């Protein structure tokens, strides 16, 4: 079956969920899985910008994979 961009966006649910989980767990325990998720390092604004950039990068990768998958028809 052919990949579609709309259906492939579901691939981003795991990283989004992991980010929410990491932030929630960090708020409850004081331990964050990555320094860029720790609000004590640079604040919540920096976390929001980082997560937005990672999401946009994920969208670009999904778009590239879907685009390239249509070119390899043999």
């Amino acid at each position: 079956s052919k990949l579609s961009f709309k259906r492939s966006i579901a691939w981003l649910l795991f990283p989004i969920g992991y980010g929410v989980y990491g932030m929630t767990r960090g708020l409850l325990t004081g331990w964050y899985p990555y320094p860029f998720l720790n609000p004590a390092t640079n604040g919540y604004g920096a976390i929001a910008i980082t997560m937005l950039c990672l999401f946009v990068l994920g969208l670009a990768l999904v778009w590239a994979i879907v685009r390239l998958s249509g070119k390899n028809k043999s």
Side-chain angles (χ1 to χ4, degrees):
S1 68
K2 185 179 177 189
L3 285 176
S4 72
F5 182 73
K6 193 181 266 189
R7 289 182 60 196
S8 300
I9 290 181
W11 297 340
L12 297 177
L13 291 177
F14 179 79
I16 291 168
Y18 184 74
V20 170
Y21 166 76
M23 288 299 300
T24 304
R25 182 172 179 200
L27 288 170
L28 296 174
T29 66
W31 179 84
Y32 294 88
Y34 300 104
F36 65 83
L37 287 179
N38 188 345
T41 306
N42 293 317
Y44 288 103
I47 293 171
I49 291 169
T50 301
M51 297 304 283
L52 179 64
C53 290
L54 289 172
F55 180 74
V56 169
L57 175 63
L59 280 176
L61 290 172
V62 167
W63 178 83
I65 290 168
V66 170
R67 183 98 166 123
L68 291 171
S69 72
K71 304 254 183 204
N72 293 329
K73 294 183 179 175
S74 316

